[in-house]
Amino acid sequence: MNIVVCMKQILDPEVPARDFRIDAARREAERGSASLVTNIFCENALETALQSGGNITALTYGPESAEDTLRKALAMKANAAAHVAGEGGHPLHVAQVLAAAIRKLGPFDLILTGRESGDWGAGQTGALLAEELGLPCVSFADKIEVMNDGGWQMADGKASDSSAIRHPPSAIRVRRQTDAGFETVEAQPPLVVTITNAEHNVPRIPKVRDVMMAHKQPLTRFTVDELGVAPADYYEIVELAIPQKETRCELLDVDGLAQRIAEITAAL
Amino acid sequence: MTNVLILFAEDRAAQGLAGAAEQLGGETRAILVDGDYQIEETLDALVDACRGADVILLANDTYSQEIAPRLAHRLGGACVGDGVGVARVDGRVRVTRQVYGGKAHAVVEVRRSPAVLWLRARSFSGGAAAASAAELSRDPGARSGRRSTRIVERNVSAQTHARLEDAQVIISGGRGIGGPEGFRDELEPLAKMLGAQMAASRAACDAGWVPPTWQVGQTGKKVAPELYVAVAITGASQHMAGISEARNIVAINIDPDAPIFKHARYGIVDDYRKVVPLLRERLTNLGNHEGKR
């Protein structure tokens, strides 16, 4: 089974609000002293892929620094990595770039993305990628099982070490989170799945040795021009601002708080 | 100008979407997607049902979120999600939404038609809901060309009484609760007293202490209660992004420097294990007192 995991490098979302600055004219966040990290849902996606087994390619679209995201993916034991050099763009552009790269790198049975990114949080990459590739899409998944030789194979975290799943699976079963609980979805590959976080897909910590090895592995490199992706209209960010909040917290004792809570709930 | 509202059977969402449609102007009709939701089939049917619309509005449930970008793509339009404000400026649709985990807000201008928007429906004051929503008609055999998926099992979490998004009072716990026992023994009895819904931060859900359906925040539910009691929650911006529409935030936290106090209206700096039992006791007394009057 061949899996591609689309991954994005972003400004560390943990940067405290007091250190967060924006460039209002360029309508983007200032890098400042914040570090760059891999979007957490992309790491959840890679972890889910590693647990499902198969041959995994990590793919990113981003500036030179995004190579770090691929090196970390390789250290987590992705088998190959590809970098499309370029920057920015609306969700449709990103999906078109990724789709073009996937056509060159594929074929793949499973295409994974994170459910959304921790910077702009548009949450559209996986869905638009599915449309660009003409594939079905299952969103907000946290577990993937593959049907092989007549039986369902549970993702158990061990499969990545073995090459147990070599052949295209005949069916894929996805567990996904919904507002009320979860759903089980069955599908035939190929398909796109967007991944959310759960207790069982917390990204593994790579071994030091694997981190060092990852720096020696070759990357497949593309540019947006090579892929032949032309800019298209979609949407524009016309304003970006940090909201000013004027909340003053009134510190109370338990009696005072009980009184306030009783007042608020009595008015409902 | 034609607006189409797509509803996955939720009354409150319908009013919010109708309110948003009134702000955009034009004629509005509504489509109700009822019954057996199947991703690809429902999408196909909605593409047919929405042709000709300028604006398509959806709520912020998971079905709406997954359908909206794909519907936009099929209709040649553009999608913007998680909107808390809409406007029409010089004929173009603009959407206000939070970005960078709630640390900033952006105004996004749609440059294609139709504009397919999914909104935090509760952030909009209710409009006169379209008189009646037409049920989505489906023709399952119509498109055999495309591969499909099948939802074969639906599990509804036993703890879910009503939608968290619709709750008036929410008791929420974070990493500082320390384990499932704190939720069960301290917070749930408090929630019961107040007729509140339970929620949690991502840290508590990721730790497996409570179900993922409880998660509130940038990547969880976006709630808008009258009262949100944040217990042992630090208040990282990703969590705050889910409660920006809460009317009154109460913080109980042992750390006086926790960012949650910058957003809370009322607070107590102390260990929740001490505060919550006392609070339940006082609320019981107040309740009895009120009862006698």
Side-chain angles (χ1 to χ4, degrees):
Chain A
M1 180 167 71
N2 291 318
I3 308 175
V4 62
V5 183
C6 304
M7 306 185 77
K8 184 184 185 186
Q9 186 184 52
I10 60 168
L11 196 69
D12 187 356
E14 304 291 332
V15 58
R18 63 175 176 277
D19 296 335
F20 181 78
R21 305 270 184 284
I22 53 171
D23 183 332
R26 296 180 61 196
R27 295 185 288 278
E28 59 185 35
E30 280 180 8
R31 163 87 194 269
S33 57
S35 48
L36 297 171
V37 298
T38 303
N39 180 39
I40 181 66
F41 295 111
C42 301
E43 291 198 337
N44 294 132
L46 177 58
E47 178 60 38
T48 306
L50 289 165
Q51 290 178 13
S52 311
N55 186 56
I56 298 165
T57 302
L59 168 64
T60 195
Y61 162 58
E64 210 172 301
S65 62
E67 193 176 313
D68 293 345
T69 285
L70 295 179
R71 295 294 172 197
K72 187 171 179 201
L74 289 167
M76 286 170 74
K77 294 306 231 179
N79 302 86
H83 186 176
V84 184
E87 210 165 336
H90 50 64
L92 180 63
H93 178 72
V94 173
Q96 287 173 339
V97 168
L98 293 173
I102 286 168
R103 283 195 201 96
K104 288 213 180 232
L105 294 163
F108 294 102
D109 304 299
L110 208 47
I111 294 150
L112 304 188
T113 70
R115 62 173 282 179
E116 66 183 75
S117 65
D119 50 6
W120 293 99
Q124 299 192 32
T125 301
L128 295 180
L129 185 54
E131 289 304 311
E132 288 291 322
L133 294 170
L135 297 176
C137 181
V138 180
S139 310
F140 312 120
D142 64 21
K143 192 186 262 181
I144 294 172
E145 295 168 84
V146 292
M147 165 80 95
N148 236 10
D149 302 329
W152 289 104
Q153 177 150 352
M154 290 291 292
D156 59 2
K158 290 175 202 151
S160 61
D161 302 330
S162 70
S163 45
I165 306 164
R166 281 206 190 88
H167 308 293
S170 50
I172 287 174
R173 189 151 71 182
V174 179
R175 190 184 97 140
R176 60 122 162 219
Q177 297 178 10
T178 63
D179 294 314
F182 57 90
E183 290 175 347
T184 306
V185 188
E186 287 182 4
Q188 266 77 51
L191 82 154
V192 177
V193 181
T194 82
I195 302 290
T196 191
N197 59 302
E199 48 181 308
H200 50 262
N201 69 6
V202 176
R204 64 194 61 191
I205 311 289
K207 298 190 186 97
V208 176
R209 187 172 153 274
D210 292 333
V211 172
M212 296 194 309
M213 297 280 283
H215 282 274
K216 292 176 188 155
Q217 282 175 263
L219 304 179
T220 305
R221 294 177 195 276
F222 303 109
T223 64
V224 174
D225 287 344
E226 278 166 17
L227 294 173
V229 179
D233 276 345
Y234 195 68
Y235 63 50
E236 293 287 334
I237 312 293
V238 292
E239 194 184 313
L240 183 67
I242 296 177
Q244 301 301 322
K245 278 199 180 147
E246 296 282 326
T247 309
R248 271 198 46 156
C249 184
E250 190 181 337
L251 290 178
L252 303 166
D253 58 11
V254 175
D255 283 330
L257 183 61
Q259 194 67 49
R260 295 287 191 282
I261 288 177
E263 283 163 17
I264 293 167
T265 51
L268 295 177
Chain B
M1 288 184 295
T2 315
N3 306 311
V4 174
L5 316 182
I6 297 175
L7 307 166
F8 292 89
E10 287 162 25
D11 295 340
R12 278 187 182 241
Q15 290 163 17
L17 294 185
E22 280 177 12
Q23 288 172 34
L24 289 166
E27 280 182 34
T28 299
R29 65 189 166 93
I31 298 171
L32 179 66
V33 183
D34 219 346
D36 183 28
Y37 173 87
Q38 292 291 348
I39 308 163
E40 306 299 321
E41 281 174 27
T42 305
L43 177 59
D44 285 345
L46 283 173
V47 170
D48 290 338
C50 291
R51 284 194 202 284
D54 305 297
V55 178
I56 298 163
L57 301 178
L58 301 95
N60 54 343
D61 54 281
T62 42
Y63 294 163
S64 294
Q65 291 184 34
E66 76 172 337
I67 286 284
R70 301 183 67 193
L71 187 57
H73 193 284
R74 299 248 183 124
L75 293 168
C79 172
V80 184
D82 203 18
V84 294
V86 293
R88 200 184 281 274
V89 179
D90 299 332
R92 293 193 192 270
V93 174
R94 289 188 171 188
V95 183
T96 305
R97 67 190 300 273
Q98 294 187 352
V99 293
Y100 291 99
K103 288 195 274 282
H105 69 244
V107 178
V108 184
E109 188 172 275
V110 180
R111 296 286 171 87
R112 286 185 173 215
S113 180
V116 182
L117 317 177
W118 65 264
L119 308 172
R120 291 195 199 184
R122 291 260 341 241
S123 299
F124 294 83
S125 50
S132 65
E135 208 164 312
L136 180 67
S137 66
R138 281 176 239 214
D139 188 1
R143 306 181 193 201
S144 48
R146 239 171 202 261
R147 286 167 183 279
S148 197
T149 57
R150 198 93 214 138
I151 298 171
V152 295
E153 193 189 357
R154 288 189 165 90
N155 283 284
V156 175
S157 172
Q159 292 95 335
T160 307
H161 314 289
R163 282 165 36 87
L164 205 48
E165 289 89 334
D166 295 337
Q168 299 256 56
V169 183
I170 294 175
I171 309 293
S172 189
R175 193 195 303 271
I177 297 296
E181 306 79 20
F183 279 92
R184 190 189 58 216
D185 302 338
E186 300 296 348
L187 301 195
E188 288 195 44
L190 178 62
K192 211 166 207 176
M193 286 181 66
L194 295 171
Q197 296 257 45
M198 290 293 299
S201 72
R202 176 169 171 173
C205 294
D206 276 5
W209 300 341
V210 294
T213 47
W214 288 21
Q215 187 181 321
V216 163
Q218 184 191 2
T219 55
K221 305 228 159 88
K222 315 291 195 305
V223 298
E226 285 293 316
L227 176 63
Y228 187 89
V229 184
V231 187
I233 289 176
T234 316
S237 63
Q238 292 91 325
H239 186 75
M240 302 316 296
I243 60 173
S244 57
E245 309 290 319
R247 189 70 62 87
N248 297 287
I249 298 173
V250 168
I252 299 171
N253 205 294
I254 200 163
D255 175 10
D257 297 324
I260 188 78
F261 289 114
K262 292 205 170 66
H263 304 272
R265 184 156 176 204
Y266 306 114
I268 291 186
V269 180
D270 208 341
D271 187 350
Y272 86 92
R273 292 175 188 85
K274 237 163 68 189
V275 175
V276 174
L278 279 173
L279 188 59
R280 287 202 306 266
E281 195 188 301
R282 299 289 195 280
L283 282 166
T284 309
N285 292 342
L286 281 173
N288 289 342
H289 186 65
E290 298 280 316
K292 277 178 207 148
R293 274 200 299 195

